Structures are given as C-alpha cells and as structure tokens.
Amino acid sequence: MFARAERRTLRVAGGLALGFVLVFAGAATAVLLAHAGGSGAPLFDAYTWRVAQFTLMQATLSTLLSVVLAIPVARALARQRTFPGRVWILRLSVVPLGLPALVAALGIIEIWGRQGVVNDVLRLGGLESPVSVYGLAGILIAHVFFNLPLAARFLLAALDRIPPEYWLTSANLGMGSGATFRLIEWPVIRRVLPGIAGLIFMLCAASFTVVLTLGGGPAATTIEVAIYQALRFDFDPERAVLLSGLQIAVTAVLIWLLSLFGRPPEEGMTEGRDIMRFDGRRRRLSDGLILLAFSLFTAAPLAATLVSGLAADFGRLALDPLLHRALATSLAISFASGCLSLAIALPIVLVPRLAETGGAGLATRLMARALPATGSLILLVPPVVVATGWFLMLRTFGETGRFAPVIITIINALMALPFVVRVLEPAYSTHLTRTARLALSLGVTGMHRLRWIDWPALKKPFLTAFAFAMALSLGDLSAVAIFGAEGFATLPWLLFSRMASYRTADAAGIALILGVICLLLTLPSTTAERPTESLPADA
C-alpha cells in the first residue's frame, strides 16, 4: 500500500506529530501540577463549589432545552420534505456552526437585551423590561442558539435513515401522529439522543466566550471563566491551577460518558426507495409554525448583527490602525494554525493505515494506537487550561505578550485538530482503498502520486478542513484572553474590548467583519454536505 520511502517518511512524521502534541500539552500540564503541588489553598472552597455547580447546572439546562426543542423541529423537517424554502432552513441551521460565539452574543444582545427587539415588543404590551439577557437567561439563549440547530440536524439525519417502507406501512395501517412517533420515530431518536445530549452537554460545560460575554457577574461563572478571572483580574495562579485541574476532571468524566454511547444506531432493511412521508399533509400548519419559530429564533440574531454592523462607521474603522493590526494578526494566526493542524492531522490519519499493512513493527503499531488519542487530547485538556499552563511557564521569562502569537497559533491548531481528523480520515481511507495498491503496482509514489492521484481526489476535504480550522482560529477568544497584552490583539479580542468599553457601534462593525470572514470560510463546504453523526460543532 505504501512504498518503502513513504513508510519511512510516515513513521518519522508520526513520531514528530506525537512528540509535538504530547510535549506541548504535557509541558502545560506539568507546570500546572508543579504549581498545584506548592499550593496550600483548598480546592473545594465555597467559591469553587458555586462555580462547579453553576457550570453543571447551566450545561444541564442548555442541553435539555436544546434537545427537547430540537425533536419537534427535526420531526417537522422530516415530515415536510418538499415545501418551498426547506433547503434555506437547512442552510440556516448550518450558520451557527461557523459563526464565532462573540459575534452571535452581540446579535443576541441586540434581540434580547435591555434595548432589544423582544423588550421593545413587551413594553408595547405594558411590561417594563421583563427580560434580562445577562446571567443564566442569556447563557441559555446563546447555548440554545448554537446547539438547537446542531441537535436538529443530527436528529433529522437519524430520521432520514428510517427505511421508506416503514412510512408506506404506517400509511396503509392509518397510523396517527402519536402512533407514528411512538412506534417508528421514537425508537430511532432514543438510540441517538444520549450521544447528541452528551456532546451538547460537553460543549456547554466547556463554554467560555458565551459565559464571559453574557454571564453578567460572579453569580454566573463557569470553571473556564473562573480560570481567566483568576489570572487576568486577581492574578491568583494557585486558584487558576486548582480550577484547571477541576476542569480537566470534569472534561474527562464527560468524555468517558460520551464513549458509552458510541454504538451506531441500528437500521432496518430497505430496498432503497425514495422517502415519501404521507403523514405530513395533516400537519402542515403545525409544522409550518414550528419551522417559522425555529427560523425566527435562529435568523433574528444574525439579522440584528447585520443591521447593526451596516450602521457602523466603516469609514472611521477603515482608518483605525488597531483594527488593521488585529485583522492582520488574526489572519496570520488562523492561516498558520490551519496549516499546522493539517500537518499534525495527516500522520494521525495515515499511520494507522500503515500499521494495517503486513510487516509493521511494534513501534509503528504502538504509534498507530497513540496518534488518534493524541488528536483528541485538546478535548481532555481544554484551550483555556493549556493556555494557563503556558502563561504560568512563560511569565518567568518576562512579558508573556511577546510569546502570544506562537502559543495561540499552536493552541488553535490543536483546538481544530479533532475536526480536521474527522474530515480527512474517512476521505483518505476511501481514497487509499481505491487507489493505493494500483498506484504502488504502477510505481507511482512520492510527489508524483501526490500530484496526479491524491490531490485531485482529496482537494475538497483538504480545503474544507483547512477552511474550518481557519474559521475556528479566527473566532477563538479563549487563548488570546489569557495572553492578551498591550499592543497585541486579534479581531475577537478587539471586539470584546470594544464591547466592554461600551463602544457598541465599533463592536457591531467589527462583529460584521469577523462574522462575514468566518461564514465565507465555512458555509460553502457545510451547505454542500449532508449532516452526519460525526459532525462536530463550535460553541
């Protein structure tokens, strides 16, 4: 499957990728452990308990709301398969996946804030500012905004796998909506629901930007935000280290629970007919109202961001040198992190295939087992925790801001790595199965194989993975929040600074610029793909 020179190159690349990730994450973890060893502060004091309880509570409520609301949305989309505008609703549900959390938060404030549309409507009804977007309510709204479309797409994908013969049989038997849900839809939903809920819960428990922006104070603080506050506001490294250990423990438990629901759903036998839902005719009005409410909830913050952004003074922003530097910094970091993420992902994808060939040595087999776990290491040690470890290490060398671009680039590359691997692995696996033996028998190896065989077939998944890695890096605030320093800023950090200083017009313009760039990177690829069970999401 691989020529001798290719096998040697892959083993070296795999060793470098494995060593790089382990050294970078391990160094941060070792620093945290060293600081924790010298700390006499108790871990579970009243403040830590309150933060941990709020983290789990908001994640639980966000998950319940997202999943419960996603079920009727997915059922309505599955029933109504031909109405005009269905494809646009599906595309609309993709937009939150590529939108930076900070941009979405600004749009949510425009809709649900004190001077937002919702409160304006409620004032017309005689109520005086009954909705506050800050605190638990705002966090829940933002998390549902991101995760309701994600859950609905996953559930819709599961419902679309139901054999078409089931719907024909249900129509012949005259089954009503309740019986159809109980006997056909719910068994499928029940199998995928734990995995979907677990994924959303983990995303919400590790939420940083949403809570930092909409938390509103100490009463609404999660573990990751508490780490940031301990370093940037109180400069209490010991508390930051202890909270980092708690975050790792919580994340490890969540990943273990997610692994329990990894079994793919069972599918019935089918002849491959087109799906025809006969029960949709009786539910057109109710389904239409559900989909209208879903569309309004998802589109309103996007429209508000667009309207407020267009009202900004772009002439003045265009002359702002800080914006120029932030834009250049963000683009440079995102491009470098995208390239680095791809460079690390390739050995993770290819070395396990190398281990499947005959004659693979023990070192190659061990590396093939370790690399996939390494690709998901950032899920166990979140970016804020890694950034905290490196911040504590580098502050002994002076001003940490000068190290910020390199550290943030690496952290963002590791943050995107699980997604990049999920995009490249199935594409590369299929491609190698189809072409590897024939190319080897013809003697097409090395750069010739890459140019004439691999690149034409894998160009689309490569560009998709690279675009999403860049978008994730562009919209990330967690690492730069730890390393942010005078004279160094990215677009998200500049946007957050303008929001914090109540320069809302400038913030709206920057949000529009950032949102448009990220959507241009992500939308062309996501709208062309059908949702699958392995699609990750950005909270």
Side-chain angles (χ1 to χ4, degrees), residues 371-438:
L371 277 171
T374 303
S376 300
L377 185 63
I378 199 66
L379 299 178
L380 176 62
V381 188
V384 168
V385 176
V386 177
T388 300
W390 276 96
F391 177 86
L392 295 175
M393 183 191 308
L394 295 175
R395 71 188 180 100
T396 60
F397 298 99
E399 175 57 48
T400 58
R402 58 180 175 169
F403 303 104
V406 175
I407 300 300
I408 293 172
T409 296
I410 298 174
I411 291 176
N412 287 349
L414 297 182
M415 179 180 64
L417 193 57
F419 171 80
V420 173
V421 171
R422 287 186 183 225
V423 172
L424 294 182
E425 198 281 329
Y428 239 121
S429 179
T430 302
H431 173 70
L432 289 177
T433 301
R434 292 173 177 174
T435 65
R437 294 187 184 279
L438 179 59

Side-chain angles (χ1 to χ4, degrees), residues 224-403:
E224 291 205 4
V225 174
I227 295 171
Y228 163 75
Q229 292 172 341
L231 282 179
R232 302 301 297 182
F233 294 159
D234 305 328
F235 196 73
D236 187 351
E238 293 181 349
R239 179 172 291 279
V241 169
L242 295 175
L243 289 169
S244 298
L246 179 60
Q247 179 67 31
I248 293 175
V250 170
T251 307
V253 171
L254 293 177
I255 292 176
W256 174 73
L257 291 176
L258 271 178
S259 68
L260 301 180
F261 303 107
R263 182 174 62 88
E266 301 174 3
E267 298 183 13
M269 299 297 294
T270 178
E271 297 178 359
R273 301 178 179 179
D274 292 335
I275 298 176
M276 295 183 62
R277 293 291 299 265
F278 303 95
D279 55 338
R281 301 170 185 172
R282 301 189 300 268
R283 302 294 302 272
R284 285 178 180 171
L285 178 59
S286 59
D287 286 346
L289 293 175
I290 291 172
L291 295 178
L292 176 62
F294 169 74
S295 301
L296 289 176
F297 177 77
T298 306
L302 305 176
T305 301
L306 178 62
V307 171
S308 60
L310 291 176
D313 187 354
F314 282 100
R316 187 167 55 81
L317 284 176
L319 299 176
D320 187 350
L322 187 56
L323 177 60
H324 299 165
R325 290 198 300 269
L327 178 59
T329 301
S330 291
L331 291 176
I333 287 177
S334 63
F335 182 83
S337 66
C339 293
L340 180 60
S341 190
L342 282 175
I344 299 173
L346 284 177
I348 293 175
V349 170
L350 290 175
V351 170
R353 301 286 296 186
L354 178 64
E356 296 172 1
T357 60
L362 177 61
T364 302
R365 293 197 298 270
L366 292 176
M367 188 187 304
R369 293 184 179 181
L371 277 171
T374 303
S376 300
L377 185 63
I378 199 66
L379 299 178
L380 176 62
V381 188
V384 168
V385 176
V386 177
T388 300
W390 276 96
F391 177 86
L392 295 175
M393 183 191 308
L394 295 175
R395 71 188 180 100
T396 60
F397 298 99
E399 175 57 48
T400 58
R402 58 180 175 169
F403 303 104

Side-chain angles (χ1 to χ4, degrees), residues 120-208:
D120 288 344
V121 172
L122 293 176
R123 287 192 195 97
L124 293 177
L127 297 177
E128 185 64 26
S129 300
V131 176
S132 174
V133 76
Y134 294 104
L136 179 60
I139 293 172
L140 295 180
I141 292 171
H143 282 164
V144 173
F145 169 79
F146 280 108
N147 296 309
L148 168 58
L150 178 68
R153 286 176 65 84
F154 283 159
L155 291 173
L156 177 61
L159 293 175
D160 282 347
R161 287 194 299 270
I162 296 175
E165 291 80 4
Y166 286 24
W167 307 119
L168 182 60
T169 302
S170 68
N172 290 334
L173 295 175
M175 294 171 59
S177 178
T180 300
F181 176 74
R182 187 175 67 255
L183 300 176
I184 300 178
E185 294 176 318
W186 176 245
V188 174
I189 293 174
R190 183 180 58 197
R191 284 194 292 268
V192 301
L193 203 57
I196 296 172
L199 174 62
I200 294 175
F201 187 91
M202 187 176 72
L203 292 173
C204 295
S207 179
F208 175 78

